Amino acid sequence: MMELRPDMVFVHGDRHEVLGAAVAANVMGVPIAHIGGGDLTEGSQDDSFRHAITKLSHLHFASNQDSADRIIQMGEEPDRVHVTGCPGIDMVMATPVLGREETFAAVGLATPARSLVVLFHPNTLADTRPELEALSVALARRTEALVLLGPNADAGGDLIRREWQRLVRNRPDTVYHDNVEPQVFYSLLKWCDALVGNSSAGFYEAPCFGIPVINISDRQKGRMGWNIATVPADTSQINDAIKSCIDAPKSIGPGLYGDGHAAERIAKVIGGIKDPRALLRKKFIHTGYNS
């Protein structure tokens, strides 16, 4: 980092890897711009990592006003907090989706009548096994084609991968991919009948396509979503939620985390900063306390 001598380091999101980058930049005396602070995911360790990154950062680009308000509540200076939307939504808006047949061919399926895309991550605050078992049994009972996508790098991911590979061996019209290209993922959201799991994609990308989301358990607790059916990790309730969602018509609703113009807003803010190093000195702003 010192060899590059950057004027500023951008970090995005809430992962523990990002926290490491923020600590390193802070120690090196490089100002940090954080994208995606102030969100809530109370059922995940990422919630704590995100807030820690916020306090290590010097400039904040929030995806919505509620998140911006939380950043200010943490003592950050209001004039350093900007509501820009999430740049990830910019990418969604700028990426053309594939046609229906091309989409399923890309993941190795003949074009199905009904399909589910599944994106499920480990539970970092509890035991992943019972949640995974409830979901797997529910999926095994369904008749829709399944596109199973790999989990993130949290502990417990191998357990999920092995279960999905087992399901592929024992169930027709089922495929597993560790990763797919963004265009393929967006196309799956366009053409599949529901997204099932516990990923933030259900709250960020999915609304852009109107796909209903079955959100399992509380990993994403605190996020906003109009297209979400949140259910406990119970096989019967997961099944009932899937049935209700796929029978409902798709409808594209409000973009709660961006409108496709976040990068423009971020660039405008950065362009107005004459001396990035002046950001290194921070003030704690007392906003009061409401019990």
Side-chain angles (χ1 to χ4, degrees), residues 32 74-75 83 95 105 125 127 143 147 153 176 189 194 200 209 212 220 242-243 263 266 270 277:
I32 301 166
M74 285 187 274
V83 179
T95 303
L125 295 179
D127 186 358
T143 59
V147 181
Y176 171 77
L189 296 180
S200 61
F209 301 95
Q220 300 295 336
I242 293 173
K243 184 178 185 304
I266 292 170
I270 296 299
R277 290 190 63 81

Side-chain angles (χ1 to χ4, degrees), residues 122 126 136 153 171-172 182 198 229 242:
S136 184
R171 188 184 185 280
N198 60 5
I242 293 173

Side-chain angles (χ1 to χ4, degrees), residues 154-171:
D154 286 334
D158 287 345
L159 181 72
I160 296 171
R161 289 186 187 90
R162 287 195 297 270
E163 180 59 21
W164 289 165
Q165 290 162 357
R166 186 197 65 80
L167 201 58
V168 169
R169 292 192 299 269
N170 292 282
R171 188 184 185 280

Side-chain angles (χ1 to χ4, degrees), residues 30-191:
V30 181
I32 301 166
H34 182 207
I35 300 171
D39 284 5
L40 293 178
T41 52
E42 295 175 357
S44 168
Q45 290 175 342
D46 291 350
D47 208 47
S48 297
F49 298 141
R50 183 187 311 107
H51 299 330
I53 295 164
T54 289
K55 293 307 299 179
L56 287 166
S57 299
H58 307 90
L59 193 62
H60 308 278
F61 298 110
S63 61
N64 60 82
Q65 187 61 54
D66 286 349
S67 292
D69 291 344
R70 293 187 196 100
I71 294 170
I72 294 169
Q73 187 181 3
M74 285 187 274
E76 298 299 292
E77 298 166 61
D79 62 354
R80 296 186 182 212
V81 182
H82 305 272
V83 179
T84 60
C86 175
I89 304 302
D90 294 14
M91 186 173 176
V92 173
M93 299 292 190
T95 303
V97 297
L98 304 172
R100 183 180 175 87
E101 291 186 4
E102 190 178 1
T103 297
F104 289 107
V107 294
L109 282 174
T111 305
R114 289 289 183 95
S115 58
L116 306 173
V117 56
V118 181
L119 186 51
F120 184 75
H121 300 305
N123 186 332
T124 54
L125 295 179
D127 186 358
T128 298
R129 292 177 186 274
E131 294 187 357
L132 176 61
E133 181 179 358
L135 173 58
S136 184
V137 172
L139 294 174
R141 294 175 180 175
R142 303 300 307 175
T143 59
E144 298 86 5
L146 300 181
V147 181
L148 307 168
L149 301 180
N152 64 18
D154 286 334
D158 287 345
L159 181 72
I160 296 171
R161 289 186 187 90
R162 287 195 297 270
E163 180 59 21
W164 289 165
Q165 290 162 357
R166 186 197 65 80
L167 201 58
V168 169
R169 292 192 299 269
N170 292 282
R171 188 184 185 280
D173 297 323
T174 303
V175 294
Y176 171 77
H177 293 271
D178 266 326
N179 295 287
V180 293
E181 292 294 324
Q183 184 182 40
V184 174
F185 180 61
Y186 304 152
S187 300
L188 289 168
L189 296 180
K190 167 71 174 179
W191 297 115

